[in-house]
Amino acid sequence: MKNLFLTIIALFASFSMAAQDTLSTFQRQSAQNSTDTKPGQSKFMLRGYYHSGFEAVTIDDETEYNFVGGSINPIMMFKQSDKLFFEAEFEGEFEEGNFEFGLEYADMSYVLNRYMTIRAGKFILPFGTFMEKLHPAWINRMATRPLGFGHDGIAPSSDVGVELRGAFYTGSTKLNYQIYVVNGPQLKDGDHEPEEAGMLSFGFKEDNNADKSVGGRLGIFPFSNSMLELGVSGLTGKVGTEASVFEDIRANLFAVDLSFVKNLDFMKSVIDIKGQFNNSQLDKASYFVPEDTTGATYEYDNKSTTYYGQLSIRPALVSNSFVRKLELVGRYSAMQTPEGSFWEQNPTQTAIGINYWVDWRTVLKLGYQTTDGLGSHDEEIKITSSLFYIHWAMGF
């Protein structure tokens, strides 16, 4: 009996140890399966901005009053991991009674290391800083863009390609850089719009030649507190259609930009200065004279420039809660397109405004703007207009 009892105890102990080993193995496998099947670290975020308002536009002593805007720009951002990101911005607005919806940009980024990030797709080009960083309605201190900036300007906005960007320190000086290869702008040869022969068009999904445009920007922060940034940008490439008489026409674009932000303790205010200068130079070419049936051609020095300077002052350090939400802003811009071209113009623009910041991303804008100058190669056509506006913009 004693031997039987010992045998039963031994068998029970063996069974218990085997059960524990089986349980431990099961727990390890469950933990491994849990690790293998757990959700990733992906995150999704919807941001963007919206604006609308009221405008009174006067041209040649005739004034039109309109409610405008109702435009929305949703931005989708997706984080696949700590290194892989995707973002896209859509734009929708009313034009001529219809609501138009389009794609501003859509690109994917991968972090190579702490100094380099690569992205590919359609992205806003870092040509200067206005289009890439300052154009959204709630960030732009004015309700309009400077002359020559935007989709119909002389400087690029977005394009399709690949880009390498990053930042690093040299001592106490910080630098940021962007280098990219894109399809590039395309030359208008006058076949469809004879008066615009020699202009550049930007943002095409497909290239019109085998040559790609190469560009980049270098930004320098000379002070350790980053209150000042100086930038220089460039873009070069062939813009003529392949197998046409314009296939070797090359465009060279250049820009410099400035940003200065500083607290002025004696005024209890924050001063913000922005500026950018753009230069566009194309090779000479012969274009057909519009509405001339003899086949006559003409040439001109295809050089364009545009620039703007902006100053804003916000008494953000005063004790009065209403006053510190106000901001005074003024901007001057000018544009000069090629002399002798049928799209020649040299307008200047002066704008002043006062903004009220409801919070850090919601602003009410009240402003006045005047534009004057030559509006065509025909000196009898002048640009003279004024704009009074009340705009509401919100980032979300």
Side-chain angles (χ1 to χ4, degrees), residues 10-28:
L11 290 172
F12 181 81
S14 299
F15 177 80
S16 177
M17 292 177 63
Q20 289 179 358
D21 289 340
T22 303
L23 178 61
S24 298
T25 301
F26 175 78
Q27 289 174 337
R28 288 195 300 269

Side-chain angles (χ1 to χ4, degrees), residues 148-191:
F149 291 78
H151 297 291
D152 297 322
I154 70 167
S157 52
S158 62
D159 213 318
V160 179
V162 61
E163 177 198 63
L164 184 69
R165 61 168 48 207
F168 58 93
Y169 280 92
T170 57
S172 61
T173 302
K174 182 171 68 174
L175 297 93
N176 58 62
Y177 69 92
Q178 297 90 22
I179 304 170
Y180 53 86
V181 180
V182 294
N183 288 336
Q186 297 184 12
L187 177 72
K188 292 186 177 182
D189 57 16
D191 283 349

Side-chain angles (χ1 to χ4, degrees), residues 9-50:
I9 292 177
L11 290 172
F12 181 81
S14 299
F15 177 80
S16 177
M17 292 177 63
Q20 289 179 358
D21 289 340
T22 303
L23 178 61
S24 298
T25 301
F26 175 78
Q27 289 174 337
R28 288 195 300 269
Q29 291 177 345
S30 297
Q32 180 65 39
N33 291 337
S34 176
T35 301
D36 292 341
T37 60
K38 72 177 182 180
Q41 298 178 348
S42 61
K43 295 181 180 180
F44 176 80
M45 180 180 293
L46 178 64
R47 303 296 296 269
Y49 54 96
Y50 167 87

Side-chain angles (χ1 to χ4, degrees), residues 128-306:
T129 56
F130 185 85
M131 288 305 300
E132 185 186 33
K133 300 178 180 179
L134 306 176
H135 83 278
W138 70 278
I139 297 177
N140 184 4
R141 294 302 191 261
M142 312 298 296
T144 60
R145 296 176 180 178
L147 291 171
F149 291 78
H151 297 291
D152 297 322
I154 70 167
S157 52
S158 62
D159 213 318
V160 179
V162 61
E163 177 198 63
L164 184 69
R165 61 168 48 207
F168 58 93
Y169 280 92
T170 57
S172 61
T173 302
K174 182 171 68 174
L175 297 93
N176 58 62
Y177 69 92
Q178 297 90 22
I179 304 170
Y180 53 86
V181 180
V182 294
N183 288 336
Q186 297 184 12
L187 177 72
K188 292 186 177 182
D189 57 16
D191 283 349
H192 301 292
E193 298 171 313
E195 294 81 7
E196 297 183 356
M199 290 181 65
L200 289 178
S201 294
F202 302 97
F204 286 91
K205 290 194 301 181
E206 297 180 357
D207 205 347
N208 63 341
N209 56 54
D211 186 79
K212 300 303 176 186
S213 294
V214 179
R217 178 183 180 272
L218 177 66
I220 302 173
F221 294 85
F223 302 113
S224 59
N225 61 4
S226 299
M227 67 178 181
L228 174 65
E229 181 184 14
L230 303 173
V232 57
S233 307
L235 174 64
T236 182
K238 291 184 178 180
V239 295
T241 302
E242 192 171 12
S244 73
V245 296
F246 305 103
E247 63 178 349
D248 292 325
I249 299 298
R250 175 173 290 272
N252 298 296
L253 284 71
F254 171 79
V256 292
D257 60 83
L258 172 148
S259 175
F260 180 78
V261 181
K262 182 176 175 56
N263 291 345
L264 299 180
D265 294 333
F266 71 95
M267 294 180 59
K268 295 185 177 181
S269 301
V270 178
I271 185 173
D272 188 342
I273 300 174
K274 296 288 190 292
Q276 184 172 326
F277 171 85
N278 300 329
N279 178 277
S280 173
Q281 179 74 58
L282 278 69
D283 295 337
K284 273 193 173 182
S286 296
Y287 304 100
F288 288 108
V289 177
E291 300 181 1
D292 188 293
T293 58
T294 65
T297 62
Y298 71 108
E299 294 184 354
Y300 58 86
D301 185 12
N302 199 344
K303 178 181 178 181
S304 301
T305 59
T306 182

Side-chain angles (χ1 to χ4, degrees), residues 12-13 19 24 31 39 63-64 90 116 121-122 132 142 175 192 222 277 310 317 320 325 337 339 375 389:
F12 181 81
S24 298
T63 304
E64 294 185 356
F90 300 90
M116 292 186 292
K122 182 180 182 181
E132 185 186 33
M142 312 298 296
L175 297 93
H192 301 292
F277 171 85
Q310 178 179 288
L317 308 178
N320 187 285
K325 292 184 178 181
T337 56
E339 183 178 355
Y389 64 82

